Amino acid sequence: MARLFGRRRELAALTAAMEAAGRGRGSLLVVTGGIGTGRTALLRALPPLARRRGLRVLSASGAVLERELPLGVVDQLLEPLLPGAALEPPHDARFFAELLASVAGFSAREPLLLLVDDLQWADADSLRWFGRLARRLASLGILLVVAVRDGDPDAEQPRIHALSDSASQVLRLEPLLAADTAALVAERLDRLADPALATACHEACAGNPMLLTAVLAELVEAGGVFADPVEAVAGLRLPAVRERLLVALAAQPAPVGALAKALAVLGEDADPELAGRLAGLDGTGCSEAVGVLCRLGLLSRGRTLNFVHRYVRETVEESMAPAEQEDSRRRAAVLLHEAGYPVERAAAQLLATTWCQDGWAAEVLRSAAVAAVRRAAPAEAARYLRRVLLDGAATGPERAALLLDLAAIERTFDPAAAMRHVVQALLLLPSAEQRALAVRWLPPALLGGCPPPSVELVAKAAEELAGAPAPADGDREPALRIEARLRHVTVAGPGLLAGSVERLRALGPTPPLETAAERELVTVLLHGATVAQRLTAAEVAPLANRILCYEPASPAHVYTTLPLLTDTLIAADSIETLGPWLEAAGEAARRERAPVPQALIGLELTQLLLAQGLFARARAQAREVLELGAARWAPIQSMAAVVRAAIETTDGELTERLLEAYGESIDHGHSPSMLQLVRASGAAARGDLPTALEYVLDWGRSVERADWRNPAVVPWRTWAAGLWLRMGQGTRAHELVDEELARALAWGAPGPIGRAQRVKGELTEGEGGIELLRASLATLEGAVNGMERARTGVLLGRRLRAQGQPEAEAHLRRGREQALAGGAPRLADLAARELRELAESLGPATLTRAERRVAALAAQGVSNKEIAGRLEVSTRAVEKHLTQAYRKLDVAGRAELAGVAHLLPSDAGPPA
């Protein structure tokens, strides 16, 4: 028989009563509890205990369908004592007395334990006889134990109450404690209980043994091992208890059932007063119904009301007819709204109905959407508005307004849906001005990935606006916004980049930036002039920084053309204020829990970190962008920062993830496809350098056709030259690098100039190449990109080392430090190898005599104190000599010093 958990107190009381009955002092004990609290299990545990104490056990049980059988329960109970006895009516006083005398006679010869389960369903004659027996028990060797289900209507019979009042003890079964639940979980799963699983089971079942047993049976069936115990328990279905719950609830009076249904509709933490109103009960009726459900063990009482298990609520809800559920939820929504509850509580009820076409319901759902946005739950807000649209009551401009409201929410987590809904709204709006205003909800960075018909629709809206009469109030915002977006999406179209400077100059020497639309347009024009290199870095940087000063650091900037400022400022090597600005915007996006702004700002931060030469952080940021799901909705053109990260840091994992996401994609926009560069990166990672070079050259040709001239934005010539060098064909790269350098000098930012000088120096042999590398290093001292300095420094150090020049060590050492700081371990390892080879080639000749002696003893394992004693110097002097020796030999400490011990003198005696 299964062990009984959590009933030590009850078993102790029953055991004591058995022992008393064995001595001739009988008693009545009543066991009570709600449904599933373990009354039957407790009674079944008693016979072995009774037999060990010399008691004979007789048992019986009441049943709903047998309540009309006169003396039916007594007949069950006494049949082993009185086999074949006729307990037929009339059951008068004399009959009861004779039957009682017979039982008393048996108990005089052998003590009895009489067990009666579900006494509330016993017939009237049996209850009368048990009442007579209870009054005689004190002088008999009989222990009568009866179990009564709390909360059952039949448990309220006067005779049941009379028996309980005459009992020596009433044992009310409480929910199991957490420790008892854990012990039961361990036994059923046949191993030490996982604390998280035990806690999940206890909280889900509120200590109810019936529910806990059903949960454990399902867990055993599922194997008993779960990655997330809480989720595993919460998702269980419990068919084994459904019928028992339905039967128990069906037996209740109508008010109890009505309240249970009201609570099922209202869900968790229901207010008692509101539940009563929904159930149609006054205060007294509600309180009585709550009491019944609590006694049944189905409800936990507190300031709010909750079923003890999700499955209880689901069972009650499933017992309701669809029409009944529909009506209850609509009434619940009205009651919640009228009572001043948060509007989302009422909206949740409306979402569960099949019809919300009246104006009141639509208004509630729209208000709920606003509330959800305020608490940073955009997905919930979108659900409310989608429901309003689904019911189809709104048409024409009203429906367009709803679509735009929905798009404004969806763009934070589902840009593709937002774009579709904006396009749908454009088709419904009656005027050119309204359509132009609607375009502001289209994120420009994503518009280039839309199918051509969508872009054409935006272009048509622009044409209509251009042909419309000028607005009376002089509001130019719609026209400027739509122009900015069209220039953004068609930035590589014929002549558009070249026209950016002319359009910018038409705005005057100091373009107006007071309105958001003006700043958007100037940003696009400035970016176009930067990409086409029609202005210099010195001309671009002040205006770009001026725009940034006007804009608050907000996640909303990603829905405008302002992210182009990041490219422009990085190209101009002017990022002093950009970094803090982006960090503040990113932090705000995280607080708002908006994945799309987080990802788009992450792309800007990736570009910024690459520009600073912080490769490790750039890789981490690029991976975070992918983890946020950007590859599901962003076109490859918008992922340029991740593509650059994969190329610049030679990160094969980033390349593979990009190829997996975009390998079969189709580019709708005019911009040169970044997919070519992704494929080039993949080919280079595989060692297929000719294929990688072909992809880069092909992309370069498309870039030139698009008039993307600025090497600070698209340094494809540098990438191609690097591939030619690796293939041993450096001479073919000279022409490209010369052109790159000429353009970089014309642009004027130190970063691109220094990079081009380094590549040209790498291609140039002899002293000329070294002079170019020195020039590159000097130029890059004024650049923000520490990795470019590291690359030049290491390359210059290698060239100088090959010539045997002593300054090689300083360049290699500094380059190594910068590479480590930026997260480029391969470059750092290359510099370290050069330094080691340099140290080995020079050997101890670079050390002073004292440094050689100290290093030799340290390499042999002699402590600093012992070295000081042998050489008759202070320990501080020893430490100083060792530090100098470590630096000159390029070793990290004593452990690495042992590796160069062969270069040091074996005899390190005291100095002469």
mmCIF file of all heavy atoms in Angstrom, residues 22 49 57 77 139 155 188 218 257 297 300 354 454 504 530 532 707 862 871 881 891:
data_model
loop_
_atom_site.group_PDB
_atom_site.id
_atom_site.type_symbol
_atom_site.label_atom_id
_atom_site.label_comp_id
_atom_site.label_asym_id
_atom_site.label_seq_id
_atom_site.Cartn_x
_atom_site.Cartn_y
_atom_site.Cartn_z
ATOM 1 N N GLY A 22 -9.576 -0.925 22.213
ATOM 2 C CA GLY A 22 -9.117 -2.257 22.619
ATOM 3 C C GLY A 22 -9.256 -2.483 24.111
ATOM 4 O O GLY A 22 -9.346 -3.633 24.571
ATOM 5 N N LEU A 49 -3.166 -0.972 10.860
ATOM 6 C CA LEU A 49 -2.879 -0.487 12.210
ATOM 7 C C LEU A 49 -3.829 -1.112 13.225
ATOM 8 O O LEU A 49 -3.430 -1.471 14.350
ATOM 9 C CB LEU A 49 -2.989 1.051 12.256
ATOM 10 C CG LEU A 49 -2.073 1.832 11.309
ATOM 11 C CD1 LEU A 49 -2.370 3.333 11.409
ATOM 12 C CD2 LEU A 49 -0.608 1.575 11.650
ATOM 13 N N VAL A 57 -11.839 -5.218 11.666
ATOM 14 C CA VAL A 57 -12.175 -4.045 10.858
ATOM 15 C C VAL A 57 -13.382 -4.351 9.990
ATOM 16 O O VAL A 57 -13.412 -5.361 9.269
ATOM 17 C CB VAL A 57 -10.993 -3.620 9.965
ATOM 18 C CG1 VAL A 57 -11.359 -2.382 9.148
ATOM 19 C CG2 VAL A 57 -9.754 -3.360 10.800
ATOM 20 N N LEU A 77 -21.878 -2.503 6.295
ATOM 21 C CA LEU A 77 -20.913 -2.501 7.397
ATOM 22 C C LEU A 77 -20.968 -3.782 8.209
ATOM 23 O O LEU A 77 -19.935 -4.366 8.552
ATOM 24 C CB LEU A 77 -21.189 -1.282 8.288
ATOM 25 C CG LEU A 77 -20.209 -1.022 9.422
ATOM 26 C CD1 LEU A 77 -18.855 -0.610 8.868
ATOM 27 C CD2 LEU A 77 -20.761 0.068 10.351
ATOM 28 N N SER A 139 -18.879 2.956 26.356
ATOM 29 C CA SER A 139 -18.848 1.729 27.169
ATOM 30 C C SER A 139 -18.633 0.477 26.327
ATOM 31 O O SER A 139 -18.773 -0.641 26.843
ATOM 32 C CB SER A 139 -20.164 1.599 27.951
ATOM 33 O OG SER A 139 -21.256 1.523 27.030
ATOM 34 N N ALA A 155 -23.913 17.087 3.386
ATOM 35 C CA ALA A 155 -23.213 17.131 4.670
ATOM 36 C C ALA A 155 -23.877 18.083 5.644
ATOM 37 O O ALA A 155 -23.499 18.114 6.822
ATOM 38 C CB ALA A 155 -21.759 17.542 4.448
ATOM 39 N N ARG A 188 7.037 9.069 -5.852
ATOM 40 C CA ARG A 188 6.372 8.716 -7.107
ATOM 41 C C ARG A 188 7.346 8.710 -8.287
ATOM 42 O O ARG A 188 7.189 7.927 -9.216
ATOM 43 C CB ARG A 188 5.228 9.691 -7.393
ATOM 44 C CG ARG A 188 4.111 9.582 -6.368
ATOM 45 C CD ARG A 188 3.449 8.195 -6.398
ATOM 46 N NE ARG A 188 2.564 7.995 -5.270
ATOM 47 C CZ ARG A 188 1.277 8.355 -5.269
ATOM 48 N NH1 ARG A 188 0.756 8.908 -6.346
ATOM 49 N NH2 ARG A 188 0.543 8.149 -4.212
ATOM 50 N N GLU A 218 0.786 12.134 -14.337
ATOM 51 C CA GLU A 218 1.091 12.671 -15.663
ATOM 52 C C GLU A 218 2.596 12.876 -15.851
ATOM 53 O O GLU A 218 3.138 12.622 -16.929
ATOM 54 C CB GLU A 218 0.360 14.001 -15.860
ATOM 55 C CG GLU A 218 -1.155 13.884 -15.904
ATOM 56 C CD GLU A 218 -1.644 13.139 -17.125
ATOM 57 O OE1 GLU A 218 -1.105 13.358 -18.218
ATOM 58 O OE2 GLU A 218 -2.560 12.301 -16.984
ATOM 59 N N GLY A 257 -22.715 26.917 -8.081
ATOM 60 C CA GLY A 257 -22.277 26.717 -9.454
ATOM 61 C C GLY A 257 -22.132 28.021 -10.198
ATOM 62 O O GLY A 257 -21.194 28.216 -10.980
ATOM 63 N N GLY A 297 -12.580 22.588 -0.905
ATOM 64 C CA GLY A 297 -11.154 22.565 -1.201
ATOM 65 C C GLY A 297 -10.827 23.025 -2.607
ATOM 66 O O GLY A 297 -9.720 22.794 -3.087
ATOM 67 N N SER A 300 -9.241 29.034 -2.721
ATOM 68 C CA SER A 300 -8.439 29.588 -1.632
ATOM 69 C C SER A 300 -8.985 30.968 -1.304
ATOM 70 O O SER A 300 -9.119 31.818 -2.184
ATOM 71 C CB SER A 300 -6.971 29.665 -2.033
ATOM 72 O OG SER A 300 -6.826 30.444 -3.198
ATOM 73 N N THR A 354 -16.652 36.329 -29.238
ATOM 74 C CA THR A 354 -16.633 36.188 -30.703
ATOM 75 C C THR A 354 -17.185 37.412 -31.419
ATOM 76 O O THR A 354 -17.197 37.452 -32.642
ATOM 77 C CB THR A 354 -17.462 34.966 -31.125
ATOM 78 O OG1 THR A 354 -18.818 35.140 -30.676
ATOM 79 C CG2 THR A 354 -16.894 33.697 -30.524
ATOM 80 N N SER A 454 5.180 48.388 -53.157
ATOM 81 C CA SER A 454 5.010 49.192 -51.947
ATOM 82 C C SER A 454 5.768 50.502 -52.060
ATOM 83 O O SER A 454 5.268 51.569 -51.679
ATOM 84 C CB SER A 454 5.506 48.403 -50.730
ATOM 85 O OG SER A 454 4.754 47.219 -50.561
ATOM 86 N N LEU A 504 20.897 70.113 -50.960
ATOM 87 C CA LEU A 504 21.340 70.591 -49.653
ATOM 88 C C LEU A 504 21.702 72.074 -49.722
ATOM 89 O O LEU A 504 21.341 72.866 -48.839
ATOM 90 C CB LEU A 504 22.540 69.765 -49.178
ATOM 91 C CG LEU A 504 23.082 70.054 -47.780
ATOM 92 C CD1 LEU A 504 22.022 69.788 -46.721
ATOM 93 C CD2 LEU A 504 24.312 69.198 -47.505
ATOM 94 N N THR A 530 27.888 62.491 -48.521
ATOM 95 C CA THR A 530 29.014 61.761 -47.938
ATOM 96 C C THR A 530 29.344 60.529 -48.769
ATOM 97 O O THR A 530 30.505 60.280 -49.113
ATOM 98 C CB THR A 530 28.681 61.347 -46.485
ATOM 99 O OG1 THR A 530 28.484 62.519 -45.697
ATOM 100 C CG2 THR A 530 29.802 60.513 -45.886
ATOM 101 N N ALA A 532 28.604 59.825 -51.862
ATOM 102 C CA ALA A 532 29.090 60.190 -53.199
ATOM 103 C C ALA A 532 30.360 61.030 -53.141
ATOM 104 O O ALA A 532 30.944 61.332 -54.179
ATOM 105 C CB ALA A 532 28.005 60.957 -53.949
ATOM 106 N N ASP A 707 27.541 55.223 -57.731
ATOM 107 C CA ASP A 707 28.166 56.484 -57.337
ATOM 108 C C ASP A 707 28.503 56.510 -55.846
ATOM 109 O O ASP A 707 28.541 57.575 -55.241
ATOM 110 C CB ASP A 707 27.259 57.682 -57.700
ATOM 111 C CG ASP A 707 28.075 58.960 -57.870
ATOM 112 O OD1 ASP A 707 29.295 58.859 -58.090
ATOM 113 O OD2 ASP A 707 27.494 60.053 -57.777
ATOM 114 N N VAL A 862 65.157 30.172 -8.254
ATOM 115 C CA VAL A 862 65.612 30.807 -7.019
ATOM 116 C C VAL A 862 64.673 31.971 -6.688
ATOM 117 O O VAL A 862 64.304 32.752 -7.567
ATOM 118 C CB VAL A 862 67.059 31.324 -7.177
ATOM 119 C CG1 VAL A 862 67.556 31.952 -5.871
ATOM 120 C CG2 VAL A 862 67.968 30.181 -7.597
ATOM 121 N N LEU A 871 73.481 37.887 -4.503
ATOM 122 C CA LEU A 871 74.118 38.980 -5.234
ATOM 123 C C LEU A 871 74.407 40.184 -4.347
ATOM 124 O O LEU A 871 74.922 41.202 -4.833
ATOM 125 C CB LEU A 871 73.227 39.408 -6.409
ATOM 126 C CG LEU A 871 72.895 38.324 -7.438
ATOM 127 C CD1 LEU A 871 72.061 38.906 -8.573
ATOM 128 C CD2 LEU A 871 74.154 37.689 -7.987
ATOM 129 N N HIS A 881 65.224 44.632 -11.618
ATOM 130 C CA HIS A 881 65.952 43.962 -12.693
ATOM 131 C C HIS A 881 65.083 42.930 -13.391
ATOM 132 O O HIS A 881 65.136 42.786 -14.626
ATOM 133 C CB HIS A 881 67.203 43.285 -12.119
ATOM 134 C CG HIS A 881 68.263 44.275 -11.686
ATOM 135 N ND1 HIS A 881 68.559 45.421 -12.379
ATOM 136 C CD2 HIS A 881 69.104 44.253 -10.609
ATOM 137 C CE1 HIS A 881 69.520 46.093 -11.768
ATOM 138 N NE2 HIS A 881 69.882 45.397 -10.676
ATOM 139 N N VAL A 891 58.516 38.216 -21.984
ATOM 140 C CA VAL A 891 57.919 37.103 -21.256
ATOM 141 C C VAL A 891 57.034 37.687 -20.168
ATOM 142 O O VAL A 891 57.237 38.818 -19.709
ATOM 143 C CB VAL A 891 58.992 36.166 -20.647
ATOM 144 C CG1 VAL A 891 59.819 35.501 -21.727
ATOM 145 C CG2 VAL A 891 59.888 36.927 -19.671
#
